[in-house]
């Protein structure tokens, strides 16, 4: 039996003493207010037993981690037709870069970089009756927690400074890969990114990717094939131009967000979430990456 609690406690001790913590995202002004000293970790194993340390119960902005959940909802609704509008190749580029989008005629490289996630948002705006409310209801159902909500001040803050996302949505529109108007799609996208969750709630939301498509209450959300595809995308694209590094150091499918969260999973074994707001140069949580490297090394578990 692997003693996850011992490993996690050790990681927490080291991470709380770290002097190099990276930089809190400041391009969304509201995120810059978050205390860089925070560190939390929560792991749930396949028997639904939880292990935790640090600030795991504090909610933070999940940001790009939400892209995996919006992708899941879009796949639920339109199935493989989604791949007519978005590719499935790693980009090797930062999350908000535009050059590939222009070079590839408005087809985003994958759904986990901003251009791809904005197309996914467009699909949900088209197909959901009340897009924001219905998506939030889906996330609440996944986690089985009605208290999960948007952080409206974060969404508003991003709306006032989201120049690159406006540029991206306009470029998509010019290529005919956005059905709805730019304002409506970005309003949805900024809200999905603003959802606040803690580390435990994130592991509950991502439990389906660890547990063959079923949530903790055993309800089925995805087929095995869909789980395989989404996990493959997390592994190859979940950390943008640091996806190779994450696979190399950690060896798990996962997703990061500029709020400092990371969620990762080992199929059929465990799902884990970390939170440390300081980011490295590629926009991924610095201590979160280090914590997960240590977890898979000490537990001697990874997909490889
Ligand atoms: N909302 C952020 C953005 O679009 C999400 C980026 C991220 O978490 N990497 O810029």
């Amino acid at each position: 039996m692997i003693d996850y609690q011992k490993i996690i406690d050790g990681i927490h001790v080291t991470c709380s003493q770290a002097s190099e913590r990276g930089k809190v995202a400041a391009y969304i002004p509201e995120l810059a207010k978050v205390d860089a000293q925070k560190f939390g970790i929560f792991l749930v194993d396949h028997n639904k037993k939880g292990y935790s340390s640090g600030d795991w119960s504090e909610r933070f902005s999940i940001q790009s981690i939400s892209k995996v959940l919006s992708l899941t909802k879009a796949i639920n609704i339109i199935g493989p037709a989604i791949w007519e509008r978005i590719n499935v190749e790693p980009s090797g580029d930062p999350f908000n870069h535009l050059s590939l989008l222009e070079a590839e005629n408005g087809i985003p490289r994958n759904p986990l970089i901003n251009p791809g996630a904005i197309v996914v948002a467009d699909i949900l705006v088209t197909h959901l009756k009340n897009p924001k409310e219905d998506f939030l209801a889906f996330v609440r159902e996944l986690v089985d927690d009605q208290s999960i909500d948007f952080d409206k001040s974060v969404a508003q803050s991003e709306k006032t400074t989201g120049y690159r996302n406006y540029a991206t949505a306009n470029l998509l529109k010019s290529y005919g890969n956005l059905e709805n108007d730019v304002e409506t799609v970005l309003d949805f996208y900024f809200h999905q990114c603003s959802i606040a969750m803690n580390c435990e709630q994130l592991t509950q939301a991502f439990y389906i990717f660890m547990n063959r498509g079923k949530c903790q209450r055993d309800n089925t959300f995805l087929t095995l094939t869909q789980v395989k595809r989404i996990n493959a995308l997390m592994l190859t694209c979940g950390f943008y131009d640091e996806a190779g590094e994450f696979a190399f150091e950690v060896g798990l499918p996962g997703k990061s967000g500029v709020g400092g969260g990371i969620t990762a999973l080992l199929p059929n074994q465990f799902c884990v979430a970390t939170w440390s707001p300081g980011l490295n140069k590629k926009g991924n949580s610095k201590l979160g990456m280090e914590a997960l490297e240590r977890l898979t090394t000490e537990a001697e578990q990874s997909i490889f």
Side-chain angles (χ1 to χ4, degrees):
M1 269 279 285
I2 299 163
D3 192 344
Y4 288 123
Q5 191 60 51
K6 191 166 164 224
I7 297 175
I8 280 176
D9 285 339
I11 290 171
H12 179 219
V13 169
T14 315
C15 286
S16 9
Q17 291 161 357
S19 51
E20 282 297 313
R21 310 180 81 93
K23 281 206 174 74
V24 177
Y27 77 98
I28 302 175
E30 202 63 21
L31 293 185
K33 297 181 182 164
V34 178
D35 178 0
Q37 297 302 313
K38 299 283 181 188
F39 179 85
I41 181 165
F42 192 98
L43 182 148
V44 63
D45 69 14
H46 59 288
N47 295 316
K48 301 176 195 163
K49 186 166 165 31
Y51 307 83
S52 58
S53 211
D55 302 308
W56 63 272
S57 64
E58 204 168 310
R59 294 183 198 211
F60 57 91
S61 189
I62 69 168
Q63 290 297 319
S64 282
I65 299 175
S66 69
K67 292 171 180 170
V68 182
L69 305 179
S70 57
L71 173 66
T72 299
K73 187 70 190 163
I75 287 178
N76 276 167
I77 300 172
I78 67 165
I82 190 171
W83 309 124
E84 290 161 21
R85 295 179 59 186
I86 310 169
N87 210 333
V88 294
E89 290 298 335
S91 67
D93 262 359
F95 61 86
N96 54 6
H97 265 212
L98 286 161
S99 49
L100 278 174
L101 188 61
E102 174 129 58
E104 296 176 359
N105 301 318
I107 302 293
R109 267 288 167 103
N110 67 67
L112 301 182
I113 48 172
N114 289 13
I118 291 171
V119 172
V120 171
D122 183 51
I123 292 167
L124 295 181
V125 168
T126 297
H127 290 272
L128 297 176
K129 201 157 162 235
N130 300 301
K132 285 187 282 190
E133 293 75 9
D134 294 355
F135 180 67
L136 187 60
F138 168 71
V139 176
R140 286 174 171 173
E141 193 192 339
L142 265 181
V143 182
D144 192 22
D145 188 338
Q146 292 301 315
S147 74
I148 290 173
D149 214 339
F150 300 120
D151 182 331
K152 293 220 161 68
S153 53
V154 171
Q156 188 53 42
S157 178
E158 187 165 12
K159 194 177 271 191
T160 54
T161 57
Y163 307 113
R164 271 184 173 270
N165 286 321
Y166 278 99
T168 304
N170 277 297
L171 200 52
L172 286 165
K173 189 86 184 162
S174 79
Y175 280 109
N177 202 4
L178 208 71
E179 287 174 356
N180 301 282
D181 62 74
V182 165
E183 273 305 329
T184 311
V185 175
L186 287 184
D187 180 61
F188 178 90
Y189 173 74
F190 294 145
H191 275 84
Q192 73 165 74
C193 288
S194 82
I195 290 177
M197 280 200 222
N198 65 33
C199 292
E200 180 182 24
Q201 291 165 333
L202 273 174
T203 62
Q204 285 161 341
F206 276 62
Y207 200 83
I208 55 173
F209 309 113
M210 183 269 274
N211 190 39
R212 305 167 74 80
K214 290 181 199 275
C215 73
Q216 290 205 19
R217 284 157 297 138
D218 239 24
N219 297 336
T220 302
F221 284 84
L222 291 167
T223 65
L224 281 181
T225 301
Q226 290 169 334
V227 169
K228 175 182 78 178
R229 302 219 191 290
I230 296 173
N231 281 341
L233 285 165
M234 279 198 259
L235 183 77
T236 54
C237 314
F239 297 80
Y240 323 112
D241 46 341
E242 207 169 32
E245 180 79 7
F246 192 80
F248 183 82
E249 298 285 351
V250 181
L252 300 175
K255 185 73 202 82
S256 61
V258 288
I262 298 180
T263 311
L265 60 113
L266 181 60
N268 309 313
Q269 293 301 324
F270 66 77
C271 185
V272 62
T274 57
W275 177 46
S276 172
L279 308 179
N280 63 20
K281 289 202 170 72
K282 309 269 170 136
N284 299 314
S285 170
K286 184 173 185 327
L287 292 188
M289 298 241 328
E290 290 171 18
L292 293 173
E293 185 277 326
R294 195 161 147 189
L295 171 68
T296 53
T297 302
E298 290 187 15
E300 297 185 319
Q301 284 184 306
S302 86
I303 61 165
F304 304 110

